[in-house]
Amino acid sequence: MEIALDSLETPTLTKAQLAEKLFDNIGLNKREAKDMVDAFFDLIAQELVKGNDVKISGFGNFQLRAKSPRPGRNPRTGELISIEARRVVTFHASHKLKAIVQGDEGAGDEE
């Protein structure tokens, strides 16, 4: 499936475009397609908020990581500031996705 992007300046795939692809390729009505895309991303967010990792086979892993407080610097003024502890989401692409992006679609099938 090839996805045409609307803008050359910021080649971004949006949730609306994903819903449109579901409408075109699977035959869901537009409301069902939008609801399915929204539900998918809501489920990922809910699991991350609970502290669970999300693993999508053949695509990658979303992981929650705790970052410790640390000293920092305001880049405009040079002033020293304290960066508070926080949780961040990281994404690690699967070997299969990495191979597809590199143009070697046959590689990475072991995952």
Side-chain angles (χ1 to χ4, degrees):
M1 166 177 27
E2 191 169 317
I3 299 173
L5 302 175
D6 293 339
S7 171
L8 294 176
E9 291 179 18
T10 55
T12 302
L13 177 62
T14 65
K15 289 193 328 182
Q17 290 169 320
L18 288 171
E20 186 71 27
K21 288 294 174 188
L22 287 174
F23 170 73
D24 292 341
N25 296 338
I26 298 178
L28 296 175
N29 71 43
K30 289 190 179 195
R31 183 68 189 169
E32 290 171 331
K34 180 192 176 306
D35 289 347
M36 184 178 283
V37 170
D38 287 340
F40 175 76
F41 288 107
D42 287 346
L43 182 59
I44 290 173
Q46 288 169 12
E47 290 302 310
L48 290 168
V49 167
K50 290 180 197 174
N52 298 328
D53 292 346
V54 176
K55 298 181 181 192
I56 302 173
S57 180
F59 186 72
N61 301 328
F62 295 91
Q63 297 173 317
L64 200 57
R65 185 172 154 230
K67 295 188 90 176
S68 301
R70 61 189 171 91
R73 185 178 303 270
N74 181 328
R76 286 192 179 153
T77 64
E79 174 188 4
L80 291 175
I81 58 172
S82 175
I83 300 172
E84 295 182 15
R86 63 190 194 274
R87 297 188 320 171
V88 296
V89 176
T90 61
F91 174 76
H92 299 279
S94 72
H95 294 292
K96 187 174 186 177
L97 178 60
K98 287 178 184 178
I100 292 169
V101 169
Q102 293 301 318
D104 185 16
E105 294 185 38
D109 288 339
E110 68 276 354
E111 194 169 322

